Amino acid sequence: MAALCDGFTLCGLASGPSSAEARILCIEQGREADHVIVTDARKSITVYKVSDQKPLGSWTVKQGQTITSPAVYNTQTGEYVVVTDNKVIRVWKDEDCFDKAFKATVSADVARVHALPDSEPVVLFARGGVRILDTLLAAPQQSIEELLPEGEVIRWSESFVKGKQKVVVFTTEQKGEHFVYLHRFNPNCLLKYKLEMEDAGSCLLSVSATVRNKNISFLYLCSRGCLYQSEVPVSGGPAEGVQPLPRTLLLKLPVGDGHLSVAAALSLDEANVAVVGVPHPSEGTRKEFLCIWNTHFQTLQASRELLGQPYGQLWCFSGKLYVPHGRVLTAVPYDCQQSSLAAALGRLKQGHGEGSCPPPPVRSWNSLLHEAAAQPQRSTRGIDTRRSKLRKSQAASITVDQVLEDIKTALGEDVEREVESFLMGAAGPDLQLAVGQVASQLVTRCLSDPSFYTRNSLARLVHTRCLCHSVCPGLLPLVLEKKDYSLVQLCLQHFPDIPEEVTCACLKAFIDVSDGDLEAVDIEPDSMSLMEDISVGWRKDGNLENGFSPVLLEDDGYEARIPPSKSRGRAGLLDLDVSCPVGLKKAVLLNEILQTAHTESFLLPHLKDLSVQQVLLFLRYLWFLYLKFSQDFNVRTSGLRSPTTVQIIDWVCLVLDAHFTVLVMVPEAKDMLSHLNKFVRSQVRLISELGKIQGSLQNIHKLKQSEDVGLYSIEIIELF
Amino acid sequence: MGEFKVHRVRFFDYMPSGIRCMAFNQRTERLALARLDGTVEIFNFSDRYFQEKVIPGNDARSVEAICWVANRLFTTGLNGEITEYDLENLCPKYSVDAFGGPIWTVACNALGTHLAVGCEDGSVKLFEVLPEKIRFEKNLDRQKGRILSLSWHPSGTRIVAGSLDVINIFDVQSGHMMQRMLVDRGTVNSRTRECVVWSVFFLSDFTIISGDSSGKVQIWDSHTGTLNKAHLVSKWDVLALSLSQDESSLLAGTSEGTVVQFQFLSPTLGASEKEWVRTRTFKHHTHDVRAVAEIGTAVVSGGVDTQLVVRPLLDKVDVKSYDTGLRKIQFPHRPLVSCAAKAGLLLFQFPVQLELWRLGEGEGPGRPGHSLIVTRKPEKLLQLKRKGEDHICCSAISPCGSWVVYSTVSSIRLHRLQYDGSNISIAKVPRLPKVLRSAHQLCFSADSSRLFVASSRSTVHVIALSQSECKYLHTFKSCSGSTEPMHLLVASADGRWLAAANRACEVHVYNVRSRKPHCIVPLYGSCPTAMAIHPSTNNLLMVHADQLIFEYSIEEKQYTDWSRRVQKEGLHRLWLERDTPVTGVTFNPSNASQFLLHDTYMFCIVDQRLPLPDQKAQLYNQLTLKSLSEQDRKSYSHAFKFCKKYQPLLCVSVLEDQSVVVVERPLLDIATQLPAPVRQKKFAT
């Protein structure tokens, strides 16, 4: 799940020479996470503290000079670096005046200076040469090699550090063809890749890159709205010549009127991509939108309308997206959660203004005061004073974060209370997100702190039905470990997406648990009553179904009721009065397992882990259920939640498939297998008989087809 | 009994016209209703709701309001004229232009001396009702906005007029406006549309009740001009109101197809204070209810969905009887189809045209319950548009299929058809005898050599037809002196006898050869709805609106034994309680003892040799008989053999080859041709 929060204006934009031209050269990360350096087109550099929307410092170049490479912050030395008039590198500190900056003129045109975290900035020259800044400044006039052929121009560049490997990547364009260069240091080498482009007429609008698992992943957006991804390994053997760079289509964005002109895409995490300048799918061809798309599910996760035309520029620093549009630069905080399909669906329409966000970046005096007052109380004790009650009543609207924060430290019962009150107030589309966060946090706490276990909160969260296994994968194993069987049952009922491995672990745990241990477990009454119905005499109402033995049916003709003694005598080997091999509560838990969704081929390997005794017990229980179900129609129509006959048979088949060779060898199993065989054979016969009846019934249906009377017909009628 | 080959015809596109307005005459128990095409129909509610008279419409005349003044019937319409009808000749008697533009409404005062009409130009005009004519008396003060509804106070001194957004009260004596009451436009979305007061009533206690286009029924106090109570009954229009004679019950018809009843009751038991309370809602219509009538014991409603619904108020009846059932009158009680038995042709009568069809042929295994393969499809041979603006009132085709005649209120046209199997030619017969001006009913003799024309004042003209000429022979005058229009006319197969029934329930028998009246069948209180003369015995078989069957021997001038037996034993209860009158009688040419009757929902073959069903017997017994063996059938079978397979029926006729022609008009086909309803109730909305 991803969400965009309310954005705020960071600064206005000076009007440029023409309205469509970008007014910002670049935005770079400042000294702290909260600082950004905004390099205005040509003239000025400003450092902002984003959360305060406040400029911290500003520098302007003199008349006649222009900034050609945006300012970056050198974390090693605490200095800013900028390039003016292509060749002059200026270095200064926060408190310095721009005029007093250190100046060095280099021998070739600089394309960009890139800052790298925890290392010296690198300088990329317009003709493809790369130098580390301090070595360059040591000898500014050193000659720079020309690596790019004539006419090839650098369009975009970026640098990364992965481990100890520094990398500079840049794309170039020559006569409509695009190339990607990868420059590695130590040893220096340059790799060249050719980008596959779409057919003629589409052009590359925006490139961005991220480092992911030792690969550099490029994301590029074409004017037809296609979003492609290509991957290049960070390190690896040098390759000769130009290699083609394979691409995968991640997403086809809706393009209103044929093609895009200014747009940008930025990868936020593995699944989510922020896009600006692309029409909203349900808003026609207008392009003033900032959207987050999920590439896994191809869904629109969040969107926000922008006032004024965006310039096809988009940056992202520490949880905020920066978009210049119209006459302002807006910072939009966003939030990307690990997504599950259940959460990803149906978010096309983003509710405006009510999204649950990280706390507002601009703090109001009100909330500051309020929190200051609330703080000491929370940290001391969870006594319900009037004020804390007041706070709790507002808790839902306050934040999820507060709950999350409390979960990390507070006492078990406080946490329970907090979660309860949070859930009381929470509602709306973002409940899902919040519930997932809270559950994950609770599980993390429980895992790290063995004495901490808030059963009620977890149960409450599961009951919201907003939780599923993929949102909080740790929950079910944790609960299983805590032997909290009623909560396991709850999870099995409510989670639609439990992996087969976990299902199997639950099954094993259920089979192994002794009935004594289950005494105290509180099981849902509905499923209990079902099992009671099944195990208590199935013949109590005498409403006998004739589904269980065609032999009997044929012999008894129309007799609806078969005397018990007779049927038992007839049945012989098929002793139909099997008693339940497991305790009632255990049976209920096993029923839950039978009803979980699963894929047989994934389940089979895990089933093989069961021991022979476990298999025997489970098989006996399935056999028992199967008998009861095929005998007593009432069980199936009781309206209670119960496994279907098909599910039971599926499981019988699965268990037999997994363990057949072993079972054949085990003497205890022999009896049961032969019973099972006979019973199934009789059922097959019954079904084939029913098939015949169905055929004749269909024929009767055909006979009664109503004729369609047209405008005219000549009919014969007979009167008596 | 036997097998019958049935031509099942569904290509008669008969489309009834929607009901515009109606008026009930409490004294004579006649309901007059006007349809959207200008047709005026009169139903006799004391004679099983029989459609007694039909005055055909006219393209130039539309009817917006209808009003009884004693036994005289007046309508007004958008042509700006007030028309009085001649109920004996079934045509407009005269029209008076009110010179106020289209007239939306007409009302008569309690004494029946004055008519008030509401005009488009906003004037209310008073006319004095004189014998044989009406005379303009005066205008009341003219107001802005058309007058859509009017009502006299029972004292005759005040008139209330509903207009757009306003209700005005006039003093009749001075003609001045006394009170002006503004009507609220209703909900927000209709605030820009003016509120039309579709209907208004002035009660004797000076209360005024109005129904308007914003769905309200409002109760006003006329002395103070204030609104006492507003009932919102519909999201759409309240189109019609009707007040019972004792002013204790009010009906409101709405655009949603509902009829809402209000009653003047005391809200608490025993209190003397009374108020208008909404009591019942009836939903029998799918479209606008344009007209309602509260007739004391029943609610009568009609609208765009063309059917007339009579819904008895069960609190007003004591015993369950024929009159306590819900009645829907959908089809006219007169035949619109004539069949040329020898030629296998069908003539369909529409208001503005005639259609001539040839039946198809089929072959194949003739097993009961199956259809034959149609080898020749039915064919439309001719479409004959009527001349002039008047609608067709009756038509006939000769048995040989070579003459087609139709009549409007102003003229009769006779056409000669020549059809040789592939080519058809039609020629109008010029210079008809002067005596043929208009006809109420037309009939050819069995050999197609004579045309009988039932004309005004209960006369029947006899015309001789031949290849070369068309000659007037004789006129039979009514020997009883009755001037009621003839509505049934049948000739015997041997050409000797002619029987004619008029609306005064008289059946005259004339001897055609001697050109003399033969006899009058003893008068029976209910109107005959169908009759025929038996081809071999010359017995006259008559079925009346109250479902009784009589057989009268013309030669012996007395009822036959079978008829006496029927009277003595009585007909089965279920037969008598049927809903629709028998509109056709024919004889089975292959079996002299059998005749066919049909109404809208069944046809039946009556075998005079078989015993009549007694009251306890199962009347509709075909299914039972089918399941019995040949021997058992004899003991169970009775004279009436019903076939309900074909519904609704407009015509059942027997061709020369003894096959039966049934003309069906499925209700669904009519419903699909209706305009979309203004509002349809959907489930859970």
Side-chain angles (χ1 to χ4, degrees):
Chain A
M1 287 301 300
L4 286 170
C5 304
D6 281 335
F8 53 91
T9 303
L10 191 60
C11 61
L13 300 181
S15 49
S18 78
S19 61
E21 200 167 310
R23 290 162 182 180
I24 284 186
L25 203 56
C26 188
I27 299 174
E28 286 283 340
Q29 179 76 58
R31 188 177 62 216
E32 288 171 25
D34 200 19
H35 291 184
V36 291
I37 309 162
V38 178
T39 308
D40 198 348
R42 313 281 175 255
K43 286 294 174 198
S44 70
I45 300 150
T46 316
V47 178
Y48 287 95
K49 182 169 165 54
V50 179
S51 56
D52 289 355
Q53 291 173 271
K54 185 176 84 175
L56 296 177
S58 177
W59 298 271
T60 314
V61 295
K62 277 185 185 160
Q63 196 72 31
Q65 298 173 341
T66 50
I67 300 172
T68 52
S69 165
V72 297
Y73 184 74
N74 183 349
T75 48
Q76 294 293 90
T77 59
E79 291 166 326
Y80 297 98
V81 181
V82 78
V83 179
T84 55
D85 299 328
N86 291 326
K87 284 185 177 156
V88 185
I89 300 178
R90 291 163 183 258
V91 181
W92 77 99
K93 287 201 171 181
D94 254 341
E95 56 273 18
D96 287 348
C97 171
F98 201 59
D99 293 337
K100 293 179 187 165
F102 168 81
K103 268 190 279 187
T105 308
V106 291
S107 60
D109 284 358
V110 177
R112 272 295 288 265
V113 179
H114 283 287
L116 289 171
D118 305 322
S119 65
E120 272 293 310
V122 290
V123 181
L124 170 67
F125 288 91
R127 303 310 313 152
V130 178
R131 293 287 185 277
I132 305 231
L133 182 65
D134 56 354
T135 60
L136 179 68
L137 291 182
Q141 286 300 319
Q142 61 182 278
S143 66
I144 307 297
E145 65 278 6
E146 296 211 348
L147 299 170
L148 299 186
E150 195 64 35
E152 209 170 310
V153 192
I154 295 180
R155 291 292 178 206
W156 169 88
S157 63
E158 188 62 85
S159 63
F160 300 102
V161 180
K162 179 73 185 177
K164 292 197 170 169
Q165 180 75 67
K166 288 186 204 172
V167 180
V168 175
V169 288
F170 54 96
T171 60
T172 60
E173 186 186 354
Q174 183 182 29
K175 293 172 190 157
E177 292 197 320
H178 293 268
F179 300 96
V180 175
Y181 290 85
L182 183 70
H183 183 100
R184 295 196 193 114
F185 294 89
N186 302 329
N188 285 1
C189 69
L190 188 66
L191 299 178
K192 183 175 181 183
Y193 300 92
K194 184 175 183 302
L195 271 186
E196 284 177 53
M197 278 310 290
E198 285 178 82
D199 47 341
S202 92
C203 58
L204 197 62
L205 289 178
S206 143
V207 183
S208 71
T210 44
V211 178
R212 206 170 281 158
N213 302 336
K214 296 182 182 171
N215 281 328
I216 297 172
S217 153
F218 291 95
L219 187 72
Y220 48 100
L221 177 66
C222 295
S223 59
R224 290 276 162 84
C226 295
L227 197 61
Y228 294 104
Q229 188 180 32
S230 301
E231 292 206 330
V232 176
V234 174
S235 49
E240 287 300 313
V242 181
Q243 295 170 348
L245 190 58
R247 63 177 187 186
T248 50
L249 179 64
L250 278 188
L251 194 62
K252 183 101 173 70
L253 292 166
V255 177
D257 51 358
H259 69 279
L260 304 166
S261 49
V262 283
L266 197 62
S267 172
L268 299 179
D269 63 11
E270 278 181 51
N272 292 309
V273 178
V275 182
V276 74
V278 173
H280 189 283
S282 57
E283 298 277 349
T285 58
R286 287 176 51 233
K287 291 174 182 160
E288 291 100 16
F289 284 97
L290 171 64
C291 301
I292 297 183
W293 286 82
N294 188 313
T295 55
H296 286 176
F297 305 124
Q298 311 270 314
T299 51
L300 181 64
Q301 295 288 305
S303 75
R304 194 144 295 265
E305 196 175 348
L306 304 171
L307 284 171
Q309 191 67 34
Y311 299 96
Q313 289 174 312
L314 184 64
W315 295 275
C316 167
F317 299 108
S318 55
K320 293 185 191 67
L321 290 166
Y322 296 85
V323 199
H325 60 95
R327 296 180 158 272
V328 289
L329 170 67
T330 300
V332 184
Y334 71 92
D335 187 26
C336 284
Q337 298 284 317
Q338 192 179 21
S339 28
S340 64
L341 183 60
L345 289 172
R347 293 286 296 167
L348 199 64
K349 274 229 186 282
Q350 169 80 4
H352 287 280
E354 51 173 18
S356 96
C357 295
V362 188
R363 303 205 166 173
S364 69
W365 284 107
N366 238 350
S367 67
L368 275 175
L369 287 173
H370 208 87
E371 232 166 286
Q375 206 76 38
Q377 254 175 356
R378 191 205 306 165
S379 53
T380 50
R381 277 170 303 139
I383 296 172
D384 280 346
T385 62
R386 191 186 302 159
R387 193 179 277 182
S388 69
K389 263 184 189 160
L390 187 73
R391 188 170 62 81
K392 269 178 193 157
S393 67
Q394 297 168 338
S397 57
I398 300 175
T399 45
V400 190
D401 290 352
Q402 212 158 349
V403 181
L404 292 181
E405 200 59 38
D406 285 352
I407 289 170
K408 281 181 195 158
T409 51
L411 290 174
E413 53 218 49
D414 289 350
V415 170
E416 292 206 343
R417 214 166 19 235
E418 190 112 2
V419 170
E420 181 65 29
S421 63
F422 165 70
L423 286 177
M424 294 276 270
D430 296 304
L431 181 64
Q432 202 154 10
L433 203 62
V435 165
Q437 284 174 330
V438 172
S440 307
Q441 192 69 50
L442 275 175
V443 170
T444 317
R445 172 84 193 273
C446 292
L447 286 176
S448 60
D449 180 1
S451 62
F452 180 89
Y453 181 64
T454 52
R455 183 189 178 276
N456 292 340
S457 300
L458 289 173
R460 188 74 173 73
L461 288 169
V462 174
H463 266 301
T464 57
R465 289 176 185 270
C466 292
L467 215 52
C468 58
H469 185 84
S470 45
V471 167
C472 182
L475 178 60
L476 200 46
L478 170 82
V479 176
L480 208 55
E481 194 186 317
K482 298 278 182 190
K483 295 199 194 297
D484 185 352
Y485 293 111
S486 61
L487 190 51
V488 174
Q489 189 195 12
L490 207 59
C491 293
L492 287 171
Q493 280 177 5
H494 288 302
F495 290 0
D497 56 347
I498 300 173
E500 281 76 1
E501 190 181 356
V502 180
T503 312
C504 228
C506 292
L507 174 64
K508 243 188 275 186
F510 290 163
I511 294 176
D512 283 343
V513 70
S514 72
D515 287 336
D517 287 351
L518 286 173
E519 285 289 291
V521 175
D522 185 23
I523 299 282
E524 194 195 54
D526 268 5
S527 32
M528 277 299 282
S529 70
L530 172 82
M531 276 318 293
E532 275 161 9
D533 278 1
I534 293 179
S535 29
V536 176
W538 52 277
R539 223 174 279 165
K540 59 186 174 195
D541 54 355
N543 189 358
L544 203 79
E545 283 304 312
N546 46 14
F548 67 97
S549 172
V551 183
L552 294 180
L553 183 78
E554 281 160 17
D555 290 357
D556 289 74
Y558 281 109
E559 247 177 273
R561 189 190 170 90
I562 302 164
S565 59
K566 192 179 174 188
S567 71
R568 204 165 301 162
R570 279 289 173 82
L573 270 175
L574 299 176
D575 187 2
L576 297 172
D577 243 356
V578 185
S579 63
C580 184
V582 297
L584 222 51
K585 292 189 169 176
K586 196 186 232 185
V588 170
L589 292 175
L590 288 174
N591 282 354
E592 290 301 338
I593 293 282
L594 299 186
Q595 289 167 75
T596 51
H598 62 262
T599 308
E600 290 182 5
S601 47
F602 293 140
L603 195 61
L604 214 52
H606 300 297
L607 269 182
K608 287 197 184 204
D609 297 343
L610 293 176
S611 73
V612 182
Q613 288 314 313
Q614 285 170 330
V615 168
L616 272 179
L617 185 65
F618 187 42
L619 208 53
R620 250 187 221 122
Y621 175 66
L622 288 172
W623 160 233
F624 161 78
L625 262 192
Y626 183 36
L627 273 183
K628 292 297 177 196
F629 269 67
S630 40
Q631 281 164 12
D632 194 347
F633 185 68
N634 293 330
V635 173
R636 276 171 285 164
T637 54
S638 59
L640 297 170
R641 193 179 135 84
S642 72
T644 62
T645 318
V646 176
Q647 280 168 337
I648 297 169
I649 292 178
D650 278 352
W651 275 90
V652 171
C653 295
L654 272 172
V655 174
L656 287 178
D657 277 351
H659 292 276
F660 189 69
T661 47
V662 183
L663 286 174
V664 169
M665 306 296 288
V666 177
E668 297 100 301
K670 198 178 162 191
D671 213 23
M672 187 175 53
L673 285 181
S674 79
H675 276 189
L676 208 53
N677 180 22
K678 280 190 181 130
F679 188 75
V680 170
R681 207 189 294 160
S682 72
Q683 293 261 299
V684 168
R685 268 184 64 194
L686 173 73
I687 299 294
S688 73
E689 295 296 319
L690 285 176
K692 286 179 203 162
I693 295 172
Q694 189 188 16
S696 35
L697 284 177
Q698 268 171 352
N699 262 332
I700 290 174
H701 194 67
K702 262 182 219 159
L703 284 176
K704 275 195 76 178
Q705 265 179 350
S706 65
E707 70 224 285
D708 179 39
V709 184
L711 286 179
Y712 180 70
S713 58
I714 303 174
E715 297 173 7
I716 303 290
I717 59 164
E718 190 178 15
L719 292 177
F720 301 99
Chain B
M1 173 90 187
E3 291 179 11
F4 294 88
K5 191 164 98 173
V6 178
H7 293 265
R8 185 179 199 174
V9 171
R10 293 182 154 209
F11 45 76
F12 179 26
D13 286 332
Y14 167 70
M15 189 61 208
S17 183
I19 294 170
R20 177 64 193 88
C21 52
M22 56 195 184
F24 186 66
N25 190 332
Q26 204 84 40
R27 208 167 54 77
T28 57
E29 294 199 58
R30 300 293 202 277
L31 180 88
L33 75 81
R35 294 189 181 265
L36 294 172
D37 65 354
T39 311
V40 174
E41 296 169 5
I42 296 170
F43 290 83
N44 186 349
F45 273 39
S46 58
D47 192 12
R48 297 276 184 125
Y49 310 99
F50 183 59
Q51 188 187 40
E52 212 177 37
K53 290 172 185 174
V54 177
I55 300 163
N58 180 307
D59 287 352
R61 186 175 72 229
S62 78
V63 178
E64 284 296 318
I66 192 162
C67 173
W68 286 101
V69 180
N71 286 339
R72 296 164 69 181
L73 187 65
F74 291 89
T75 66
T76 60
L78 298 182
N79 56 3
E81 292 177 343
I82 308 168
T83 305
E84 187 184 349
Y85 289 90
D86 182 342
L87 296 181
E88 286 180 353
N89 287 323
L90 304 183
C91 60
K93 204 180 204 170
Y94 60 87
S95 291
V96 174
D97 198 326
F99 299 105
I103 305 176
W104 293 96
T105 177
V106 61
C108 168
N109 66 353
L111 295 173
T113 56
H114 285 84
L115 278 181
V117 296
C119 304
E120 176 78 14
D121 67 353
S123 61
V124 176
K125 294 169 193 281
L126 294 191
F127 286 82
E128 193 182 353
V129 181
L130 302 170
E132 298 302 313
K133 65 172 180 177
I134 56 171
R135 191 171 66 200
F136 176 73
E137 189 169 294
K138 66 170 163 187
N139 272 329
L140 303 186
D141 287 358
R142 192 154 81 90
Q143 304 297 320
K144 221 177 119 189
R146 63 175 68 134
I147 305 292
L148 287 148
S149 49
L150 280 177
S151 177
W152 289 77
H153 187 264
S155 68
T157 55
R158 309 261 165 95
I159 283 182
V160 62
S163 181
L164 303 176
D165 286 334
V166 71
I167 297 171
N168 298 317
I169 301 170
F170 297 94
D171 182 78
V172 176
Q173 197 65 40
S174 64
H176 294 322
M177 191 174 75
M178 303 172 66
Q179 221 28 284
R180 184 177 168 84
M181 299 177 289
L182 289 177
V183 183
D184 185 27
R185 283 190 178 181
T187 51
V188 180
N189 49 9
S190 63
R191 203 164 278 280
T192 50
R193 286 215 320 259
E194 52 209 353
C195 183
V196 184
V197 180
W198 286 119
S199 187
V200 69
F201 270 99
F202 212 144
L203 273 56
S204 51
D205 63 353
F206 288 94
T207 303
I208 288 170
I209 303 179
S210 70
D212 58 46
S213 65
S214 58
K216 300 187 297 291
V217 170
Q218 292 180 316
I219 324 281
W220 309 79
D221 184 333
S222 70
H223 292 305
T224 56
T226 49
L227 178 66
N228 279 352
K229 178 113 182 147
H231 297 271
L232 190 68
V233 298
S234 167
K235 282 180 184 159
W236 307 87
D237 297 25
V238 172
L239 291 168
L241 293 179
S242 173
L243 188 69
S244 69
Q245 214 168 22
D246 58 359
E247 298 190 353
S248 68
S249 166
L250 178 88
L251 300 176
T254 72
S255 278
E256 291 171 31
T258 53
V259 175
V260 182
Q261 190 191 12
F262 291 84
Q263 279 174 292
F264 196 54
L265 303 169
S266 51
T268 52
L269 198 68
S272 58
E273 199 64 7
K274 286 187 174 181
E275 62 181 68
W276 285 97
V277 184
R278 177 177 171 165
T279 50
R280 269 174 280 201
T281 303
F282 308 104
K283 170 91 170 109
H284 298 296
H285 295 275
T286 54
H287 290 65
D288 289 8
V289 176
R290 301 286 291 269
V292 286
E294 146 75 83
I295 62 167
T297 56
V299 172
V300 185
S301 56
V304 177
D305 62 358
T306 75
Q307 57 185 350
L308 180 70
V309 177
V310 182
R311 167 71 160 81
L313 291 168
L314 294 178
D315 54 344
K316 302 278 175 64
V317 294
D318 299 325
V319 285
K320 185 171 175 270
S321 68
Y322 174 82
D323 289 320
T324 56
L326 172 73
R327 209 127 268 122
K328 290 188 176 185
I329 301 168
Q330 178 90 47
F331 294 101
H333 292 162
R334 60 193 171 122
L336 295 177
V337 181
S338 37
C339 176
K342 286 179 190 151
L345 301 175
L346 289 178
L347 184 73
F348 298 146
Q349 177 190 326
F350 295 89
V352 297
Q353 68 189 41
L354 298 174
E355 276 184 15
L356 185 68
W357 287 73
R358 186 179 61 173
L359 288 168
E361 283 172 4
E363 65 177 24
R367 277 194 297 133
H370 287 258
S371 302
L372 303 187
I373 300 154
V374 176
T375 52
R376 197 187 68 191
K377 287 191 173 166
E379 197 182 351
K380 183 161 146 185
L381 301 177
L382 194 68
Q383 179 170 332
L384 192 62
K385 294 236 170 82
R386 59 90 173 83
K387 288 276 182 290
E389 288 184 324
D390 287 313
H391 293 174
I392 296 170
C393 65
C394 58
S395 62
I397 185 168
S398 65
C400 63
S402 54
W403 300 93
V404 169
V405 64
Y406 73 86
S407 169
T408 65
V409 293
S410 53
S411 65
I412 295 178
R413 277 161 205 272
L414 179 65
H415 295 269
R416 191 178 158 73
L417 276 181
Q418 269 170 335
Y419 179 57
D420 60 4
S422 55
N423 297 318
I424 185 159
S425 65
I426 182 166
K428 180 173 175 283
V429 177
R431 289 190 304 280
L432 286 182
K434 288 268 186 305
V435 67
L436 297 183
R437 300 266 296 285
S438 77
H440 298 312
Q441 190 57 265
L442 295 158
C443 169
F444 287 96
S445 64
D447 58 0
S448 302
S449 66
R450 298 279 186 275
L451 170 64
F452 305 107
V453 179
S455 190
S456 55
R457 306 191 66 77
S458 280
T459 57
V460 179
H461 305 298
V462 184
I463 310 291
L465 300 173
S466 66
Q467 293 285 16
S468 55
E469 61 173 353
C470 156
K471 203 173 79 188
Y472 168 74
L473 292 181
H474 183 68
T475 297
F476 292 117
K477 291 216 169 64
S478 163
C479 39
S480 68
S482 167
T483 53
E484 285 291 318
M486 300 271 188
H487 67 289
L488 294 173
L489 203 58
V490 287
S492 68
D494 58 8
R496 246 182 100 192
W497 307 108
L498 175 72
N502 68 15
R503 301 287 182 183
C505 306
E506 295 170 346
V507 180
H508 297 258
V509 180
Y510 304 104
N511 188 330
V512 179
R513 291 201 185 134
S514 67
R515 299 185 185 176
K516 287 207 174 91
H518 179 67
C519 64
I520 299 179
V521 177
L523 199 63
Y524 181 69
S526 179
C527 197
T529 61
M531 61 183 192
I533 299 175
H534 195 283
S536 52
T537 62
N538 279 341
N539 289 339
L540 176 65
L541 194 82
M542 296 160 288
V543 188
H544 292 263
D546 63 359
Q547 310 292 358
L548 284 189
I549 306 170
F550 292 96
E551 193 185 31
Y552 185 79
S553 167
I554 292 175
E555 275 145 21
E556 295 169 24
K557 296 193 187 177
Q558 63 173 357
Y559 287 116
T560 62
D561 291 342
W562 185 81
S563 183
R564 289 172 203 276
R565 204 172 88 218
V566 169
Q567 297 315 309
K568 210 167 81 189
E569 294 182 20
L571 287 163
H572 196 275
R573 184 178 52 83
L574 288 178
W575 171 269
L576 296 175
E577 286 180 2
R578 276 177 316 107
D579 220 8
T580 48
V582 169
T583 48
V585 180
T586 46
F587 294 94
N588 186 355
S590 63
N591 190 333
S593 68
Q594 292 176 352
F595 59 92
L596 264 99
L597 305 175
H598 85 91
D599 66 8
T600 311
Y601 298 107
M602 61 95 209
F603 77 84
C604 86
I605 294 177
V606 181
D607 194 328
Q608 289 175 314
R609 288 172 309 180
L610 289 178
L612 291 166
D614 62 28
Q615 292 297 336
K616 291 194 189 93
Q618 187 188 16
L619 184 67
Y620 302 107
N621 62 352
Q622 285 298 310
L623 271 180
T624 317
L625 291 179
K626 192 177 178 180
S627 63
L628 291 175
S629 67
E630 201 76 46
Q631 280 81 28
D632 293 341
R633 267 181 209 159
K634 285 215 175 85
S635 59
Y636 278 93
S637 62
H638 55 68
F640 290 78
K641 319 280 181 193
F642 287 92
C643 174
K644 294 191 139 200
K645 186 178 179 188
Y646 309 106
Q647 289 181 347
L649 285 174
L650 289 179
C651 170
V652 175
S653 189
V654 181
L655 297 181
E656 207 177 35
D657 65 351
Q658 291 161 29
S659 58
V660 179
V661 182
V662 299
V663 180
E664 279 181 294
R665 181 61 180 159
L667 289 177
L668 196 66
D669 294 1
I670 292 179
T672 51
Q673 286 188 33
L674 290 174
V678 174
R679 190 187 130 84
Q680 209 157 26
K681 174 77 180 163
K682 294 259 170 60
F683 178 69
T685 57

